[in-house]
Amino acid sequence: MAAFLQWRKFVFFDKDTVKDPVDNGNDFVLPKGISACDSGRGHIVLGDMDGKIWLLTRSLQLTSFQAYKLRVTHLYQLKQHSILVSVGQDEHGINPLVKVWNLDKRDSGNPLCTRIFPAIPGNKPTEVSCLSVHENLNFMAIGFTDGSVVLTKGDITRDRHSKILTLHEGTCPVTGLAFRQVAKVTHLFVATLEKVHCYTLSIKEYPKIELDTHGCALQCSSLADPSQDSQFIVAGDECVYLYQPDERGPCFAFDGHKLLAHWHRGYLFLLIRDVKSPNKTGFGSRESFPSDKQLLTIYDLDNKFIAYSASFDDVIDVVAEWGSFYILTRDGKMFVLQEKDTQTKLEMLFKKNLFVMAINLAKSQHLDSDGLSEIFRQYGDHLYIKGDHDGAIQQYIRTIGKLEPSYVIRKFLDAQRIHNLTAYLQALHRQSLANADHTTLLLNCYTKLKDSSKLEEFIKSSESEVHFDVEIAIKVLRQAGYHSHAVFLAEKHMHHEWYLKIQLEDLKNYQEGLRYIGRLSFEQAESNMKRYGKTLMHHVPEGTTLLLKGLCTNYKPSGDITEKDSLDMSRVNKANSEEFIPIFANNPRELKAFLEHMIKVDPSSPQGVYDTLLELRLQDWAHEQDPERKKVLQGEAVFLLRSDNTVFDKALVLCQMHNFKEGVLYLYEKGKLYQQIMHYHMQNEEYGKVVEACKHYGAQEGCLWEQALGYFARKEEDCKAYISEVLHHIDQNNLMPPLLVVQTLAHNSTATLSVIKDYLINKLQRESQQIEDDERKIRQYREETAHLRSEIQELKMSAKIFQKTKCNMCNSPLELPSVHFLCSHSFHQHCFESYAESEAECPTCTPENRKVMDMLRAQDQKRDLHDHFNRQLRGSNDGFSVVADYFGRGVFNKLTLVTDPPGSKTIGSLDVNLQRDVLIHTKRNS
């Protein structure tokens, strides 16, 4: 039960007397004899003792129409329809009539009366005490002084579609009726002087529940709005009771004799008779003397305060319309109560430091979040000034999202208030509004308070509870020395780089760092091994080598496999092994094991892998003292070279650095560096190997024998046997002119004439034989030339007799017309025309003639090929023979070749005829 005396009283309404806008600002005067009133649909409805109904508009214009002949006793204006229900009398006696008016329709200028029926419960006439109509127009309840309640069900505006029944009977007068509609359930509350009942109208049998055994006077009940769960309000002399359809609700101890109870827009209006005034009479009559004082009090039941209280003289009723409340009195005056705006109310509460009440008021008035935040800020400031820092921080927490956090943080930076600041920062993180600076500050607060439990709770909270910048948190924890907490946070949120940095650099937990890398995805594991590989190799060489082997072959993360990883299981993840070689800088044993594993598992490994492994094997070979072991290492190195996976230049340098003879010679041979092979043997004075090299590679590079001869010629030792062998090969292949051989050997003091005696004799014999062969050919060519000249001369000077009897084309006897050529070939004219390509050439001799002509043209083209001539001259062992060959081709002569144009039938110049004769003679001799 709420105590009335404990509620604070405010003046949240401004009271004014309604002025008449027409009568020079004098007080507005109500019609006399007002007996009933109500409001809704934009007007105030008044009923008087003369049977008139008055309609008062917002502009204070009064209109009336005669509704009854005698008087109007009750009015009910629906809020959602322009329907007015009235109860009055048209004749003397107890004969109340109910009339339903449609205010939107007119009948002879007056509202249309759509229905009239007598209000009589049963057969005995009785007075109507109260009236209520449901907003859906399907129910109307009429209460009587004999305790009866008549319910009209159906369309209340029509007789035809409605049904009247007696719902309630009793001995105590009915003082209040109210319909309650929640969803599809309809209830009717019935209040009498002694009891309160509730009927469920949505059930066919209309079940009844008795809610209480004490009632109220007339007009002392009302129905609250949904903010109070649409409860039925009953105002007794000692208390005000609220009722649900099935039970009694809260109770408020508002004592005093109640004359009126209304619920308007969230406020409870109670009109109480002054204690000095005479007591009420009858069963609830409110008749009083004109001098009676009545106290009107407006309660806010949600926020537990009195919004307004004032005395009035003989109040008829209180109605709500046009956003204000109007008090009608029997002396004809009308007062208006205008509610102050929410900001004005709040300022009044702020002045009295009633912040809690201001907050409740703002919420009930549905103030926006910005307005509420400002109230919380002012309340927090008030508590902070009073020294209640714990209370202040709670209010500041409620401003999060609206108030700038720095405003609060500056107030609590003092070390003595650090726990308050911690609470604020925690709330800031819970609402996901903290930035990196806030996270840093909160973690510093934890560390200064040395509150490890709170710190663990913060970092171990789920992301749905607390949001913060994880990377900043890790940095702060690491800086403060809370490495275990930082590691937990990094692992939880998968900040792999931070986890490894703390484990390896701060905690020196290398084994754990290596294990963690093995659980990462391929890309993460690869990048972190490149970053921390050297450190791990220094402290955990075996484990690091093992991990690198897996990373560079077919990497599979260890530990739990996520769904994403399982989808990638079929994909081969393989890192470039060459990129990890620098990690093994000071660990050659592990490096060798790693590289050997790589070429075994993946023969197509990068060349850098083979080069590095070759260098390691050569180092081991160079330092090995055991001959057997050295031989094995030599074989391994040669095997690598023969794999053709090493870079030639690098491998050659490595073999030369370590004086690895087999490797150097293999690479020279592989690179076709035959002169280098011979020079290598020369440097090592391996005479037999020099001659051997000439034999193997002399065919590919003929100058080797010349260089070998020069090498042996410069030696002062007795090298006659080697010189003789070299000279033999030079002689056999005619690789050097004899003069050059003699000049080369002239520098050797040990090389006597006997060394080259056989060579010179053989050379001179071959030269003599060559001279004889050339002279014989010269005589033959001269004889042929003389014979050709004589034939040419004969053709020029003597007549040619053609004695051919058969055609050389078809081999048939010749018949005129026929064609004869000087080459002694004859043809039928039709055969010649069919097969000849040119009229001036013999079809039989044309192919051979063309070959000769092509040879002449080719010689003519080649005589200008200076580059080709120079290359042949430089590459030949006998340059003189090349020059002689070009002389023979006529390179150094100016030759002009003239042929008959196609279709020419005349004999040209003598030179042309001479060339043709030469061709014919050549054919005949062939």
Side-chain angles (χ1 to χ4, degrees), residues 373 377 389-413 417-434 438-439 441-442 445-446 458:
S373 177
R377 183 197 66 79
H389 298 120
D390 293 340
I393 204 67
Q394 293 303 317
Q395 298 307 316
Y396 288 135
I397 287 174
R398 300 170 80 176
T399 66
I400 291 175
K402 300 297 180 182
L403 182 62
E404 178 61 35
S406 60
Y407 176 87
V408 180
I409 293 172
R410 283 196 299 267
K411 290 178 177 289
F412 292 90
L413 282 176
R417 301 174 191 142
I418 195 169
H419 64 282
N420 299 125
L421 179 59
T422 303
Y424 179 78
L425 293 171
Q426 283 177 337
L428 203 61
H429 282 80
R430 278 194 295 271
Q431 297 189 32
S432 305
L433 295 173
H438 299 149
T439 302
L441 186 57
L442 176 59
C445 288
Y446 284 140
F458 176 75

Side-chain angles (χ1 to χ4, degrees), residues 31-36 46-54 64-73 87-90:
K32 294 182 179 181
I34 299 298
S35 58
L46 306 172
D48 63 14
M49 299 300 292
D50 295 328
K52 289 184 179 179
I53 293 179
W54 299 80
S64 65
F65 62 92
Q66 192 70 41
Y68 294 91
K69 295 179 180 179
L70 294 182
R71 68 179 65 84
V72 178
T73 59
V87 179
Q89 293 181 350
D90 278 343

Side-chain angles (χ1 to χ4, degrees), residues 615-642:
E615 182 177 3
L616 292 173
R617 287 184 175 179
L618 290 176
Q619 288 176 358
D620 293 345
W621 174 84
H623 293 92
E624 184 59 51
Q625 300 298 325
D626 183 10
E628 294 295 330
R629 179 62 184 162
K630 196 175 185 75
K631 188 175 181 181
V632 173
L633 293 174
Q634 176 181 318
E636 292 178 352
V638 172
F639 173 77
L640 273 184
L641 291 172
R642 294 185 184 278

Side-chain angles (χ1 to χ4, degrees), residues 283-553:
F283 67 89
S285 172
R286 295 190 302 106
E287 294 182 3
S288 59
F289 297 100
S291 61
D292 282 351
K293 286 289 185 181
Q294 298 169 348
L295 183 64
L296 178 64
T297 306
I298 304 176
Y299 297 93
D300 187 331
L301 299 184
D302 284 333
N303 300 309
K304 306 295 188 295
F305 65 78
I306 298 173
Y308 184 76
S309 183
S311 295
F312 294 90
D313 292 329
D314 206 0
V315 175
I316 300 174
D317 206 344
V318 178
V319 294
E321 194 65 30
W322 311 312
S324 300
F325 303 114
Y326 293 88
I327 297 98
L328 286 62
T329 60
R330 293 201 179 277
D331 58 3
K333 293 183 178 181
M334 186 166 66
F335 299 93
V336 60
L337 295 179
Q338 293 183 336
E339 187 175 7
K340 298 178 186 294
D341 61 84
T342 303
Q343 191 59 40
T344 303
K345 296 179 189 177
L346 294 176
E347 289 175 359
M348 294 171 64
L349 295 173
F350 293 157
K351 290 179 181 178
K352 298 182 180 182
N353 294 326
L354 299 174
F355 293 98
V356 175
M357 190 170 288
I359 292 168
N360 294 333
L361 177 64
K363 289 181 179 179
S364 64
Q365 298 288 329
H366 304 292
L367 195 65
D368 60 12
S369 57
D370 292 333
L372 278 171
S373 177
E374 178 61 22
I375 299 173
F376 295 139
R377 183 197 66 79
Q378 293 190 37
Y379 190 19
D381 291 346
H382 170 70
L383 295 175
Y384 182 84
I385 294 171
K386 287 176 61 179
D388 184 4
H389 298 120
D390 293 340
I393 204 67
Q394 293 303 317
Q395 298 307 316
Y396 288 135
I397 287 174
R398 300 170 80 176
T399 66
I400 291 175
K402 300 297 180 182
L403 182 62
E404 178 61 35
S406 60
Y407 176 87
V408 180
I409 293 172
R410 283 196 299 267
K411 290 178 177 289
F412 292 90
L413 282 176
D414 192 334
Q416 295 179 351
R417 301 174 191 142
I418 195 169
H419 64 282
N420 299 125
L421 179 59
T422 303
Y424 179 78
L425 293 171
Q426 283 177 337
L428 203 61
H429 282 80
R430 278 194 295 271
Q431 297 189 32
S432 305
L433 295 173
N435 57 27
D437 294 331
H438 299 149
T439 302
T440 303
L441 186 57
L442 176 59
L443 293 173
N444 285 328
C445 288
Y446 284 140
T447 55
K448 286 188 178 182
L449 291 172
K450 300 188 182 303
D451 193 346
S452 298
S453 61
K454 283 285 187 182
L455 180 59
E456 288 187 11
E457 181 183 349
F458 176 75
I459 65 174
K460 291 183 179 180
S461 58
S462 64
E463 294 184 9
S464 59
E465 297 174 355
V466 178
H467 297 267
F468 57 89
D469 191 321
V470 176
E471 189 169 355
I472 292 296
I474 295 172
K475 287 181 181 179
V476 174
L477 291 171
R478 185 188 182 202
Q479 187 176 5
Y482 286 80
H483 295 121
S484 60
H485 296 78
V487 163
F488 171 81
L489 208 55
E491 184 175 13
K492 177 182 177 182
H493 295 276
M494 293 187 292
H495 284 255
H496 310 307
E497 294 181 4
W498 279 107
Y499 180 90
L500 293 170
K501 188 178 292 186
I502 298 169
Q503 286 282 19
L504 301 178
E505 297 178 10
D506 299 331
L507 299 178
K508 310 296 183 184
N509 194 347
Y510 304 106
Q511 193 67 44
E512 177 60 29
L514 188 64
R515 180 197 63 79
Y516 187 82
I517 292 177
R519 295 169 53 194
L520 299 178
S521 64
F522 171 73
E523 291 79 9
Q524 290 287 341
E526 181 183 17
S527 63
N528 282 291
M529 281 306 295
K530 289 178 181 178
R531 179 173 301 178
Y532 299 107
K534 287 185 178 180
T535 304
L536 292 170
M537 182 61 68
H538 179 70
H539 294 91
V540 195
E542 294 182 1
T544 306
T545 304
L546 186 62
L547 179 58
L548 285 174
K549 287 179 180 178
L551 191 63
C552 296
T553 51

Side-chain angles (χ1 to χ4, degrees), residues 686-704:
E686 298 173 340
Y687 302 149
K689 295 287 185 182
V690 171
V691 176
E692 232 178 274
C694 290
K695 289 180 180 179
H696 277 94
Y697 312 115
Q700 286 87 358
E701 200 158 348
C703 63
L704 294 179

Side-chain angles (χ1 to χ4, degrees), residues 84 145 164 293 341 437 661 759 901:
L84 174 66
T145 56
I164 299 175
K293 286 289 185 181
D341 61 84
D437 294 331
K661 178 180 178 181
Y759 166 74

